[in-house]
Each structure stands twice: as structure tokens, then as C-alpha cells.
Amino acid sequence: MIQIAVLGYGIVGSGVVEVIERNNAEVSRRAGEEMHVKYILDLRDFPGDPYEEKVVHDYNLILEDAQISIVCEVMGGVGDAYQFTRQALEAGKSVCTSNKELVAKHGAELIALAAANGCHYMFEASVGGGIPIIRTINNAMTPERIEAVTGILNGTTNYMLTKMEQESADYEEVLKQAQALGYAERNPEADVEGHDACRKIAILSSLMAGKNVDSEKLYTEGIKGIAAADFAFAKEANMTIKLLARAKLMEDGSILAMVAPFMVPKDHVLAMVNDVFNGVFVTGNMLGDTMLYGHGAGKLPTASAVAADVIECARNQGRQILCIWEETEAKLVDVAESERKFFVRAKRDGGKAVEDVFAGSICLELAEYPNELGFITPVMKERELQAGCEALGDLILNKIRLM
């Protein structure tokens, strides 16, 4: 029998226990051995909970119990979660996690520590919730040189952008809706400013490059500057707006990665990913393009991904599950040197100046915004676009990259 400990009994932690215990016959059959949750670590008591007898408050009970071979870390953060994870791996206990912040910051270190101690560090649930993107990259696409990953990796912002488009609403209005429905936190900064998606693309970039990509060094821009007018002009250009996390592997092994709003052509599959759903578009040099779509968050989808890692650990006791993510820092490409087209929204009385600065741009006009103009620029470098916008000053109302 394989005994499991779950660290944290919040939304995801309770889901992990529910998946493993309620689906126990299926989980055990697929693992090849009977599996049960023995401990649930939390600071709180849960009187009346069906698993209240499993709740403990002292992590040392778990650490010193030789029967515990797999630990599910679903606490979040990089404080106690990091220390507990290190201690478990040093004791030869495999760790499965949904903690994207910890994986992004210490993933390479913890993978190496697990390998040194004959156990596993698994993190499928840290990116895309129930979407099996980590397993796809590490297993299904092992013959490939993965050239690019583009994803909608945050359900909160995708819900908000979907509502802004469908209801011609502004940012503050849809943020209140998202908070009322529980999709956005009271402090939504991690989501709306792009930090959550940034950590996730840093993880995927690290797996692409095989070297560590520091999330704190990636260009990150959120959705707070997007307005209803931007969606109106996007519609005129047969596009929509999505917060995209993008990574491209260059020929020299360096990585171009960023998170920002992009205008996406309506006929692209990512344009069809709406509401709280996530979608990840992966390009391999042999396979070509592959799309994964599903619930990017939520109690049971995320818990299912953690449980899948638990089963993978059980199947591979005594064997290494290879994950190439070295602690060496990957070389990052300066986003300012990357090239693409841009959408620029400007005051109508600055139209001539915009056309002069961004020669060759296509002009868009809308009757419902008589005091504004939209422009689609030719392909140019980010630094050129930025310099032009600075020269135009307050004539520029917004700028958005084109996919």
C-alpha cells in the first residue's frame, strides 16, 4: 500500500483528497497498488469533515513516518512550502505540487534534489490546471524540438476580456463581476497584472530550453490598460484581444518570452478560448502545431492533475522520471529587439502625426468613437514602437501587440 500526505486543506487540497479517496478503486488500479491518504496537514481543525480524523498539525509526523512515500504540496507560497518540500525530498519522499510560484522560483533545484534522493518532484498542476501541458512536453513531445509555446494561461483575465468583448464593458466593471463570481481575488494583482501567467510561461520556457528561466526577468504586462474602445477597433480588424504568455526558442538556444495583451485574429484557435478556460498552442519542429484546451484552474481539475502525478510517482518507484531542467540560467532575448505589428489607438487630432511617425500604417475609423483613430503599424521592433509613442506623447491612448 502507498500512503500519501496532503499539505494544505484548502480548495485544491480538499480536492486532492476527494479525488484519491472517492475514486480510490480507479486510482489504485491505475497506480498498480492500493493508495490512500494517511495525513492532511493544516493549521485548522475541520470538525464534521469526512476526513477530519486524518488532519494533523505537526509536519514532523509526516516527515518521520516511513510509510509516507508521496507528499502532495498544495499550500502555495515559497515559505513553509519550500522548506517542507526540501525536507520531504531529502527524506526520499516524492512531492507532487500545484504551487506555480514555488516551481517557477525553485523548480530546477527541487528536480535535482529529487533525483539525488531517488524520488520525484512533479508539478503538472502548476500550469494550466487540469490541462496536461507538462506531461505533453516532457513525454508526448520528447522527439520534438519545441520551437514555441503561446498560451492563455490565466482564467481570471480571460473571463474578464471575454466579458469586455461581449458586453462592450470597461475593465473596472468586469473586474467587479469576476470578484462577485469568485473568479478574481479581492486583491487581483497577481492575475490582472500578468504575474500568474508569467510564472507559468517561465516554467514552460525552462522545459523548452532545458535551462532555468527566471520569471522575475521576463517582460510582463497585464490587462488594466485595455478599454472597450480597443475591443471595438479589434472587431473592425477582425480580431479579439487576449492576454498571451509567449515563449520562443531561438536557434542559439536562447529564449524570447513575455506576457502581454495581444490582438489575435478571429480565425486563430486561441481566439476561440473564452471565459475561464485556458488554451496552450505548442509548435514542434516535426509535429507542427498542437493545441491543448480545458479548465485551467478550479478545485477538481487542478486536483485531478495532482492526483495524476501521484499515480505517475507510484508507477515509477525506484526509477527516475527524466525532466530536463538544469539550474544553469537560460539566455533571454531582449524583448525590445523583437519584431511584430502593433495596434495604436490615438486621438483623432493626432492622426497625421501618427501616420508620419509610423509610416505605412493602416488607419481604422469607427463611428462610435468619433474622436479616436486606430492604426495597424507595419512590422517593427518593440523599441521603435516605444520611441514613436514617446515622441507622440499624449496623442497615444493605447498600444497593443499583434499576434
Side-chain angles (χ1 to χ4, degrees):
M1 179 187 294
I2 293 175
Q3 300 276 25
I4 301 159
V6 176
L7 312 186
Y9 201 46
I11 293 174
V12 177
S14 60
V16 171
V17 176
E18 183 177 346
V19 169
I20 293 173
E21 294 300 318
R22 287 185 58 186
N23 279 10
N24 191 258
E26 191 67 20
V27 168
S28 298
R29 183 175 71 84
R30 292 185 181 278
E33 192 169 347
E34 189 175 347
M35 306 180 73
H36 286 287
V37 174
K38 184 174 183 179
Y39 298 115
I40 299 168
L41 180 74
D42 205 284
L43 294 173
R44 302 162 293 176
D45 291 310
F46 296 87
D49 187 274
Y51 305 106
E52 65 175 311
E53 78 284 353
K54 299 178 185 289
V55 176
V56 298
H57 308 301
D58 183 0
Y59 180 60
N60 287 317
L61 286 173
I62 295 167
L63 198 59
E64 295 167 7
D65 190 334
Q67 291 185 335
I68 298 295
S69 58
I70 302 173
V71 173
C72 299
E73 185 276 296
V74 286
M75 300 167 61
V78 292
D80 287 344
Y82 173 61
Q83 294 300 329
F84 291 170
T85 297
R86 278 196 61 91
Q87 291 173 329
L89 295 174
E90 287 168 347
K93 302 179 189 294
S94 293
V95 176
C96 305
T97 186
S98 61
N99 189 343
K100 54 190 164 286
E101 186 178 3
L102 180 58
V103 177
K105 191 170 183 65
H106 295 290
E109 170 197 345
L110 296 173
I111 289 166
L113 185 61
N117 288 280
C119 54
H120 311 294
Y121 185 59
M122 307 287 285
F123 46 93
E124 180 64 68
S126 67
V127 180
I131 301 172
I133 181 60
I134 305 293
R135 195 162 281 110
T136 297
I137 289 175
N138 277 346
N139 296 339
M141 296 186 73
T142 48
E144 298 285 325
R145 182 183 189 273
I146 297 176
E147 297 179 332
V149 172
T150 300
I152 295 169
L153 297 177
N154 183 271
T156 299
T157 51
N158 200 46
Y159 169 84
M160 291 173 63
L161 292 173
T162 300
K163 289 298 178 183
M164 288 178 73
E165 179 178 39
Q166 293 176 347
E167 300 175 8
S168 299
D170 276 312
Y171 170 84
E172 292 295 341
E173 181 182 343
V174 297
L175 174 59
K176 290 177 182 177
Q177 288 182 24
Q179 288 171 324
L181 291 168
Y183 295 148
E185 302 288 342
R186 182 173 297 176
N187 178 2
E189 179 180 326
D191 294 319
V192 300
E193 294 189 3
H195 303 311
D196 175 80
C198 179
R199 291 171 184 138
K200 293 172 181 177
I201 199 63
I203 294 168
L204 297 181
S205 298
S206 297
L207 296 175
M208 288 170 61
K211 296 180 180 179
N212 193 56
V213 174
D214 187 345
S215 64
E216 295 180 4
K217 295 180 180 178
L218 299 187
Y219 178 88
T220 305
E221 181 183 324
I223 67 167
K224 294 174 77 171
I226 304 299
D230 295 313
F231 274 102
F233 281 104
K235 182 179 179 181
E236 180 69 14
N238 199 31
M239 295 186 182
T240 187
I241 302 171
K242 299 291 184 183
L243 182 69
L244 298 184
R246 307 193 73 182
K248 183 177 181 181
L249 183 63
M250 314 303 283
E251 288 297 327
D252 64 356
S254 61
I255 287 281
L256 172 62
M258 67 187 301
V259 174
F262 278 79
M263 283 193 175
V264 180
K266 280 284 193 177
D267 59 358
H268 193 283
V269 289
L270 285 173
M272 305 170 200
V273 178
N274 290 317
D275 296 313
V276 294
F277 285 88
N278 283 194
V280 189
F281 195 73
V282 184
T283 302
N285 68 325
M286 297 296 169
L287 179 62
D289 296 330
T290 300
M291 173 78 174
L292 289 90
Y293 168 87
H295 288 278
K299 175 179 176 177
L300 293 179
T302 305
S304 180
V306 175
D309 277 349
V310 170
I311 292 170
E312 192 77 4
C313 289
R315 286 173 171 175
N316 288 278
Q317 294 177 93
R319 292 186 297 179
Q320 184 182 4
I321 301 174
L322 188 62
C323 180
I324 303 173
W325 180 350
E326 299 173 2
E327 294 185 68
T328 305
E329 289 291 320
K331 180 184 175 183
L332 297 178
V333 177
D334 185 355
V335 169
E337 297 302 316
S338 61
E339 293 184 327
R340 57 180 54 85
K341 292 182 179 182
F342 295 85
F343 165 76
V344 175
R345 182 162 57 86
K347 296 176 182 177
R348 177 174 282 274
D349 58 11
K352 179 64 168 60
V354 174
E355 289 177 336
D356 288 343
V357 171
F358 300 121
S361 295
I362 299 170
C363 182
L364 304 173
E365 298 185 61
L366 295 176
E368 60 264 45
Y369 292 96
N371 298 319
E372 299 180 11
L373 293 172
F375 296 89
I376 305 294
T377 73
V379 173
M380 62 176 58
K381 290 187 176 182
E382 290 254 353
R383 59 176 174 80
E384 295 170 336
L385 185 281
Q386 186 61 32
C389 288
E390 289 175 1
L392 291 163
D394 62 4
L395 293 175
I396 301 300
L397 300 172
N398 203 6
K399 57 185 186 298
I400 302 173
R401 296 158 182 87
L402 265 62
M403 184 177 171

